């Protein structure tokens, strides 16, 4: 691997990301499965870095998952998105940041389609007016939330309490990065680093002290496949694609996986559990899995937040071996507690995958 | 009505179908081509052949429902086609014409529509804890089961505003916003699409001798032999 | 004869035209940007289909053209249009007044690193057709490891027939070059598996089809009909190639010790620079535009300015040489007529 | 634990894992086998193709892709009429080739 070759490509794909004043829209999947990640995104951007990130309770799903499950027409998803843009316009913002990659891809695809077919944009404006009596300006900048953390990565590094270094060996941690397909595969110029060698997560990992691993199936989809997951009968597709990735990364013994799409960490986390239970195979050390983190979770960890306050207990693959390597202290008894130490009992243990 | 002309009214077909040279860069990296009897190149070739009979067969087949819409094919096509976009247009047409009930994978449009449009119109989210049952998602693991059992406390610990007013994680989306979504569905053909899918699915369920609950279970859970490569 | 004839570019087209013009009694001036004559062919090892040493062709041309006025390491700084001639200022300070110019600026090899998914410049074991010829010539390339060449692949159409790479044209010579290089690699590494990934095999020239049959029958080179979609590197530093085997309709992958990209031909920057200076139009394929693409490929739309070789599009060596001869004759007749 | 679905086998042809020994033996007996350029003349003239999908082109390809099982099943429909030999533009003696395949891959045919 020739690192300079990648640097050359990265230099070609630098996108402009404004520093401040963002209209924020949430992710359906992230809110469900990694709610702590979204909390931490706002905590870091607003609380720590004092950025203006605005959220309105009136925004909704962008409809992206329903759209990619082919259950709603293109006009419907476009008008839902147009309504989100109207909310942004009404709030006085022009920078739009999405927590979800499906959403991000959806927004970019819609804006590009309107550019190519202006008559369609006109029709959507009419439909939005008819349905909601709203009007909108198109955002000046559309970013994914990982673009912002990428932009702030060095500020975060400067305040970090931990580095991505194995404290037992002194070596940088080996990190696999996984980019959501809809981040840059459709429009490579819209993603930091492009479609083939995206830099958005590599930049964070490098800045926080880790080593990025490139493995043969790096670019392969996590296997979500929308209808291939939401319908139970199809989940073999989803599982098989994740399995293919894990088989490919196994020889590199990664310490953890970093993701920017809300779906990928769920699938790469849970399919490890299923592979363990059905095939008896685990990919981490000593029967554990390989922890899969979101970038918000990782940023929070290096900044020194309590792992259980940022929601790492909601991962099926135990993160404790990773915390030990980085040297983050945690109280195992706290892991599954509610507010004010409330006892919530604990999840059952899987049969094969080691979790404690 | 020519199916090809109908298809080309869809912006995704306009965008995704230029001229295919059958090079196979799409199939080479397609997640579906590896695990199903599927080849996106062939989809492109059939559509660009404008053979009405073949296109109708395609619209009624399982073939168009194997794609996962990851759009990895879009990155690679040397002719700037988007096989994934063409698939979306084909699926839309298959839904509109009711052809989707002719294939097992097509019939899954019924549970998908019920789940996803239901979540959007009832809650304002595509995925929602109340409808993401562990029993239907055992892969979500014991940790999700535990989380659902203690959802109010678990969410509170993580600073969510679960079912609460105002902004925040999994907040209750205000009724007036849900009303707007409903209105968008009515104006843009979303409601009509749901009704179409329901109508054709009900007819198919009757043909199969099932009530809609049985039909939901059947289409949601059952898979026959023959979709995968090692099966006849 | 006093007439100044300026030949821009000292590749094989410029050299061959100069030889002919010398024979006709003129003293042409060759302006060459680099420090040597012969252009791309000078970097090549052997030429299809008879394995003619490229060096022999080039050195014969150079010795025959020795009496021309040759300026090496020289570029055109600017060109002024006079009444019915041009004043050419060279980077070495010399200025030439001429009414006849022959553009033989040739092509550039497509920058293979622009096909990011093939990993040229990122993965160690990915090289180009040009790199391989360099290795044939010098034996100097650490990427070609004599002791570990068990599987070798060739990718056709790299930067050709590719709208994303902004070149939708066929580069014409890569198919046959791949067959040639595959045979040469098989000769050097008889035990190695050699694969060619192609979309169509364009075996248009004299004896090309025989060459292809020989590659199949005598050398057992495996031809896979599918454009390579993605290349990645495994933990041993070998490369994994993914394509569709379109003839069986299935994805195919293979691990290789060396992958050779058949980088295509694109219009050279020198051609576009000259075109800008003399206000010559570009054709829709990005190469210089001839007066007519069928009847008049050698004439530019401007009086007194002629073309030969790959500045008007991908050409083989014999085609280039034939054009150069034709251009010399055209120039001679042009002078006679005046 | 039964989740209601399971891993699916990959259909990708992995050339690293294809056993080339038998095909090399075939090549020694039938040097022309590599000359096939997949033009499909044999297929279009094959009387068995219409009802069985038999295709010499696909036989030659399949044997190089590790699909011996499928190939053998297909070849059972060949009637050895030899029409394919007459139309092959590369002059491959396909009838003879088929017999050699039967000999070399004979065990797989049982």
């Amino acid at each position: 691997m020739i690192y300079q070759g990648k640097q050359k490509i990265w230099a070609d794909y630098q996108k402009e990301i404004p520093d401040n004043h963002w209209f924020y829209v949430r992710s359906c999947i992230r809110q469900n499965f990694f709610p702590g990640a979204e909390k931490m995104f706002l905590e870091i951007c607003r609380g720590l870095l004092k950025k203006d990130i605005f959220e309105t309770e009136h925004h909704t799903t962008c409809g992206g998952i329903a759209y990619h499950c082919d259950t709603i027409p293109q006009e419907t998803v476009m008008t839902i998105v147009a309504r989100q843009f109207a909310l942004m316009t009404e709030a006085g913002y022009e920078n739009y940041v999405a927590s979800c990659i499906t959403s991000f891809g959806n927004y970019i695809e819609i804006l590009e389609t309107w550019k190519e077919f202006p008559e369609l944009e006109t029709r959507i404006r009419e439909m939005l007016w008819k349905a909601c009596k709203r009007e909108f300006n198109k955002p000046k900048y559309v970013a994914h939330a990982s673009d912002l953390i990428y932009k702030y990565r060095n500020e975060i590094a400067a305040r970090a309490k931990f580095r991505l270094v194995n404290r037992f060996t002194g070596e940088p941690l080996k990190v696999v990065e996984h980019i959501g397909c809809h981040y840059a595969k459709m429009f490579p110029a819209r993603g930091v680093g492009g479609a083939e060698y995206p830099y958005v997560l590599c930049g964070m990992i490098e800045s926080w002290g880790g080593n990025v691993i490139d493995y043969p199936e790096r670019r392969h989809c996590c296997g979500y496949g929308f209808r291939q997951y939401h319908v139970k009968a199809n989940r073999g597709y989803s599982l098989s694609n994740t399995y293919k990735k894990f088989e490919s990364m196994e020889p590199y013994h990664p310490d953890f996986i970093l993701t920017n799409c809300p779906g990928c960490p769920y699938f790469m986390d849970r399919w490890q559990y299923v592979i363990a239970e059905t095939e008896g195979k685990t990919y981490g050390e000593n029967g554990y899995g390989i922890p899969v983190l979101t970038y918000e979770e990782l940023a929070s960890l290096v900044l020194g937040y309590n792992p259980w306050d940022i929601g790492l207990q909601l991962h099926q693959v135990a993160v404790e071996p990773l915390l030990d390597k980085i040297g983050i202290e945690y109280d195992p008894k706290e892991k599954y507690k509610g507010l004010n130490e409330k006892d919530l009992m604990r999840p059952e243990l899987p049969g094969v995958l080691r979790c404690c | 009505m020519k199916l090809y002309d109908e298809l080309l009214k869809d912006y995704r077909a306009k965008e995704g179908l230029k001229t295919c040279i059958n090079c196979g860069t799409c199939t080479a990296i397609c997640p579906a081509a590896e695990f199903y009897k599927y080849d996106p190149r062939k989809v492109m070739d059939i559509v660009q052949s404008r053979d009405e009979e073949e296109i109708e067969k395609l619209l009624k087949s399982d073939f168009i429902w194997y794609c996962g819409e990851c759009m990895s094919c879009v990155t690679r096509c040397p002719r700037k086609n988007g096989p994934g976009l063409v698939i979306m247009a084909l699926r839309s047409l298959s839904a509109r014409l009711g052809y989707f009930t002719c294939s097992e994978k097509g019939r899954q449009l019924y549970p998908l529509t019920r789940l996803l449009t239901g979540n959007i119109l009832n809650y304002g989210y595509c995925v929602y804890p109340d409808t993401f049952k562990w029993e239907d998602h055992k892969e979500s693991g014991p940790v999700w089961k535990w989380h659902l059992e203690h959802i109010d406390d678990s969410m509170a610990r993580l600073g969510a505003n679960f079912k609460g007013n105002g902004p925040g994680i999994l907040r209750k989306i205000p009724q007036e916003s849900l009303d707007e979504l409903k209105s968008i569905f009515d104006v843009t053909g979303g409601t009509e699409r749901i009704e179409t899918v329901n109508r054709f699915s009900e007819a198919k369920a009757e043909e199969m001798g099932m009530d809609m609950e049985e039909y939901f279970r059947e289409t949601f859970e059952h898979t026959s032999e023959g979709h995968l490569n090692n099966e006849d | 004869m006093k007439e100044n004839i300026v030949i821009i570019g000292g590749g094989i087209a410029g050299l061959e035209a100069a030889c002919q013009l010398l024979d006709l009694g003129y003293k042409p001036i060759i302006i060459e940007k680099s420090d040597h004559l012969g252009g791309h062919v000078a970097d090549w090892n052997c030429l299809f289909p008879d394995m003619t040493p490229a060096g022999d062709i080039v050195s014969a041309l150079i010795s025959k053209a020795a009496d021309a006025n040759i300026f090496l390491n020289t570029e055109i700084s600017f060109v002024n249009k006079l009444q019915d001639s041009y004043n050419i200022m060279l980077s070495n300070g010399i200025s030439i007044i001429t009414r006849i110019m022959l553009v033989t600026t040739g092509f550039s090899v497509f920058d293979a690193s622009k096909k990011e998914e093939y990993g040229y410049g990122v993965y160690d074991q990915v090289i180009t057709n040009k790199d391989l010829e360099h290795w044939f010539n010098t034996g100097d390339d650490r990427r070609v490891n004599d002791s570990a060449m068990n599987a070798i692949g060739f990718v056709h159409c790299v930067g050709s027939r590719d709208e994303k790479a902004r070149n939708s044209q066929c580069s014409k010579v890569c198919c046959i070059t791949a067959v040639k290089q595959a045979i040469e690699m098989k000769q050097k590494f008889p035990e190695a598996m050699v694969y060619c990934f192609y979309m169509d095999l364009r075996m248009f020239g004299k004896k090309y089809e025989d060459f292809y049959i020989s590659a199949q029958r005598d050398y057992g080179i495996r031809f896979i009909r599918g454009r390579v979609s993605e290349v990645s590197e495994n933990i041993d530093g070998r490369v994994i190639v993914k394509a569709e085997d379109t003839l069986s309709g299935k994805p195919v992958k293979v691990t290789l010790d060396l992958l050779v990209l058949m980088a295509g031909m694109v219009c050279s920057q020198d051609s576009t620079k000259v075109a800008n200076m003399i206000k010559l139009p570009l054709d829709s394929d990005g190469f210089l535009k001839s007066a007519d693409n069928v009847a008049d490929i050698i004439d530019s739309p401007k009086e007194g300015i002629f073309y030969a070789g790959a500045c008007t599009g991908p050409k083989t060596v014999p085609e280039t040489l034939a054009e150069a001869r034709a251009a010399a004759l055209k120039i001679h007749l042009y002078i006679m007529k005046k | 634990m039964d989740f209601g679905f399971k891993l699916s086998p990959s259909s990708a042809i992995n050339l690293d894992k294809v056993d080339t020994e038998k095909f090399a033996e075939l090549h020694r007996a039938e040097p022309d086998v590599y000359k096939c350029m997949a033009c499909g003349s044999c297929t279009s003239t094959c009387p068995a193709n219409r009802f069985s999908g038999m295709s010499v082109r696909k036989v030659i390809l399949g044997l190089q892709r590790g699909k011996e099982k499928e190939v053998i099943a297909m070849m059972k429909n060949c009637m050895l009429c030899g029409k394919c030999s007459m139309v092959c533009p590369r002059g491959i003696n396909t009838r003879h080739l088929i017999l050699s395949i039967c000999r070399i891959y004979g065990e797989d045919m049982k």
Side-chain angles (χ1 to χ4, degrees), chain A residues 255-268:
Chain A
D255 293 304
F256 70 98
I257 299 165
L258 185 64
T259 57
N260 73 339
C261 179
C264 310
Y266 171 76
F267 295 107
M268 294 173 88

Side-chain angles (χ1 to χ4, degrees), chain A residues 59 83 134 229 235 244, chain B residues 34 136 139-140 171 180:
Chain A
H59 87 277
R83 179 179 173 274
R134 289 183 196 267
Y229 175 73
R235 284 178 201 154
K244 175 175 158 161
Chain B
E34 183 160 350
D136 286 334
E139 73 284 352
S140 63
R171 70 211 174 279
E180 283 187 49

Side-chain angles (χ1 to χ4, degrees), chain C residues 193 195 197-198 209 212-213 216-217 220-224 245 247-248 250-255, chain D residues 11-16 20 23 27 31-32 34-38 57-58 61 64-65 67 90:
Chain C
M193 292 292 284
Y195 302 95
F197 293 89
Y198 72 97
E209 186 74 8
Y212 166 39
I213 292 175
Q216 291 178 289
R217 185 181 197 275
I221 288 155
R222 309 299 178 94
F223 289 86
I224 298 173
D245 177 21
L247 295 175
S248 50
K250 294 275 179 260
V252 60
K253 66 172 181 179
V254 62
T255 312
Chain D
S11 74
I13 298 164
N14 187 346
L15 291 175
D16 302 341
T20 53
F23 197 80
H27 179 226
D32 280 357
Y34 275 139
K35 278 167 71 181
C36 173
M37 55 177 176
R57 164 180 88 74
K58 287 186 181 166
L61 184 73
Q64 295 179 75
R65 300 286 186 267
K67 307 262 174 213
R90 282 291 181 82

